[in-house]
Every structure is written in structure tokens, then in C-alpha cells.
Amino acid sequence: MHLPLNALRAFEVSARHLSFTRAADELNVTQTAISQHVKNLEERMGVPLFRRLPRGLALTDEGLALLPVLAESFGRIGALLEQFRDGRFREVLSVGAVGTFAVGWLIPRLAEFQRAHPFVDFRLFTNNNRVDLAGEGLDYAIRFGDGAWHGTEADLLFPSPLSPVCSPLTASRLRKPADLAGEVLLRSYRSDEWVSWFAEAGVDCPVVRGAVFDSSLTMAEAAAQGAGVALLPVSLFARELQEERLARPFSLEIQNGSYWLTRLKSRRLTGAMGVFRDWLTRACAR
């Protein structure tokens, strides 16, 4: 059955407002035109879509069945046309990232990606490594860990070894790993990190009583301000080390995880997702 688009649109807007007058105002046509479109649609379908009441309109059962289908369809058409708003096709890409990775690696390189792929409408959401891809509507999530997350595909980006960092003043009094026993040791929610580092150093781990942080960024800032010594992924704090806001008293590192690009296995790969994955993996390999 061939149904005219104008008639379907007139019905959908009238059904939302339950008024031909308000539908005419929204579509910038006359009330007579709206009424005629709806009447033509009803004749083509062979069923009434509205009950005309003294004070307005009411949907029939057939109208109630048709409205959600049309509303969804017009919504999808509108969303697609929005991607051409500036005269070029644009595709939204929503990426969640651990704050440390976002600030220490991704943001300094984001302009490079956008220059290479201007059709991607990039949207970045930071987190503290706890993320719900489906619930948050994300195409990708960049996470730190072992790459094993249920229901996801994970591409390795790079390992990120941990090493102690602190303020330059604190570093000036540290000569050997055992000296850390006299300092406040800041902690992440992964409680075994200091234990692993001291074991690698061949030194008994002291009691760790420093504040607990859910973000390496805030822990790094606390360390820079002299609140204690933090165990951090040093490769992502190169700028702070270069500017001497942070110092690295010991070169010993431990491998406790890597950064991964993850997506739901059920998520269909879009063009924007494909170019971002290819760019990101190549850039990380460099």
C-alpha cells in the first residue's frame, strides 16, 4: 500500500497534540490542510484514526497502534538528517575512558584524530574504570585491567607499569625503597599494588595507611601537593614529571595491567567506531 508521507506526518503531529489546530501550527500549514491529509489517510487505510469530539480529538484503537510506529520512524529520520546539519555527514561516537588515560594520553592527541576524521562527532565521558557500556549508551570504553570483561571484545592498547611518584621535596629524602616505610603511602582501590611493588623491590611492605583514591588523577595531585607517595602509571604522567610537579624516586616498576579498548560483542561496528579503533590502535603502537 502506498501511503503519502505528508499524510502520515499530519496524522503523527495531530495525534501527539490531539488537535488539528496545534498540528497546523507546528507544520506551518492550515488546519484545513491537516484535516484533509488525515481524512485521505483514513480513506486509504479504510479505518478511522480519530474520534472527532466537541472539544478535540481522541485516538481510535487503530490510531493508537499506528502512532508509536510513526513516532519512532520520524524520530529516526530526524536523527539521521541531523547528522547532515552543517552540510556534511556526521556520525556520533561515544567513548568512555579512564580519566588517567583521557588526560594523560587521549586528549593531547584528539585533534589529530578529528583532523583525520572530521565526520566523527566525538563525545568523551570519563570514569574511574567502572563503566556500563550498555547502560551508558557507549560505543567504546577504554579500561585498565587484564582485558577480561564479560560480554565484551577487547583490543590491547598498551601495558602501563606502576612506579612510585611524589613531590620533589618528598623525593629528596628517599634514597632506597625501604625509606618509603617512613612516608604516607597513598592507595588506590586495588589494595595489592604496594604489596606487589615492595615484593618486587625485595623489601617488606610496611603498613599502608594513606588515603584511598578512586582516581589516579586525584591521587597524583595529592602526591604533587606533598600528601604522600603514590603508585601510578608513570607513562601517563610524563608532563607532570617533565614540569617537575612530580618526581620519580625509584625506577622500579611493576606490571599490574594494561589499557584496553572494549566494546560489547552485541554492538554493531559503525563507520565511526571502525576508524576510531584503527586510529587508536595504530597511535598506541607508535
Side-chain angles (χ1 to χ4, degrees):
M1 180 187 298
H2 172 71
L3 298 177
L5 183 62
N6 285 343
L8 292 170
R9 186 60 168 155
F11 164 74
E12 188 269 335
V13 178
S14 300
R16 278 195 285 109
H17 293 298
L18 291 178
S19 167
F20 290 153
T21 301
R22 293 174 65 185
D25 290 340
E26 179 174 327
L27 296 178
N28 198 29
V29 297
T30 66
Q31 178 182 350
T32 301
I34 293 291
S35 179
Q36 190 61 49
H37 278 313
V38 172
K39 180 180 178 182
N40 291 342
L41 181 61
E42 290 175 321
E43 289 176 353
R44 285 174 178 264
M45 296 181 65
V47 295
L49 299 173
F50 290 107
R51 294 197 305 275
R52 278 71 170 173
L53 305 175
R55 293 184 176 274
L57 301 171
L59 286 165
T60 64
D61 290 343
E62 293 81 3
L64 286 168
L66 182 59
L67 176 59
V69 177
L70 287 181
E72 179 185 2
S73 299
F74 283 121
R76 292 175 63 184
I77 292 171
L80 179 61
L81 292 177
E82 181 70 14
Q83 294 176 284
F84 291 88
R85 181 172 54 177
D86 59 357
R88 297 179 301 174
F89 175 74
R90 295 182 65 81
E91 187 175 323
V92 172
L93 178 69
S94 298
V95 177
V98 182
T100 310
F101 184 93
V103 174
W105 193 95
L106 181 57
I107 290 174
R109 296 166 176 83
L110 194 54
E112 171 194 330
F113 170 73
Q114 293 182 313
R115 282 193 300 269
H117 306 287
F119 81 93
V120 177
D121 184 359
F122 187 86
R123 302 182 183 184
L124 177 64
F125 304 86
T126 57
N127 57 65
N128 61 358
N129 214 41
R130 294 177 174 87
V131 64
D132 179 357
L133 278 159
E136 297 174 36
L138 297 174
D139 297 306
Y140 283 121
I142 298 171
R143 310 191 224 195
F144 180 82
D146 59 7
W149 290 279
H150 179 69
T152 67
E153 291 186 358
D155 295 309
L156 176 65
L157 298 178
F158 53 76
S160 191
L162 306 178
S163 189
V165 298
C166 56
S167 70
L169 179 61
T170 301
S172 68
R173 57 179 180 260
L174 298 174
R175 297 288 181 267
K176 56 187 183 300
D179 293 342
L180 287 169
E183 302 293 336
V184 174
L185 302 181
L186 306 177
R187 297 176 287 170
S188 79
Y189 56 86
R190 293 179 289 269
S191 60
D192 62 336
E193 291 175 341
W194 275 117
V195 174
S196 299
W197 189 87
F198 278 104
E200 189 71 18
V203 176
D204 290 338
C205 182
V207 176
V208 181
R209 296 195 177 93
V212 178
F213 296 83
D214 71 348
S215 163
S216 292
L217 290 175
T218 52
M219 185 159 56
E221 184 59 31
Q225 295 192 29
V229 182
L231 200 55
L232 295 174
V234 289
S235 62
L236 297 180
F237 290 93
R239 182 178 59 192
E240 288 80 0
L241 291 166
Q242 184 177 5
E243 294 172 353
E244 297 185 351
R245 292 196 72 242
L246 288 173
R248 188 179 178 184
F250 309 110
S251 60
L252 179 67
E253 299 175 338
I254 58 168
Q255 294 287 350
N256 206 41
S258 300
Y259 285 101
W260 301 78
L261 178 68
T262 68
R263 70 179 175 96
L264 290 174
K265 291 180 178 179
S266 58
R267 180 72 170 92
R268 180 181 61 84
L269 196 67
T270 65
M273 291 173 68
V275 297
F276 180 72
R277 181 188 63 188
D278 292 346
W279 171 82
L280 185 62
T281 53
R282 285 196 307 269
C284 289
R286 293 199 301 264

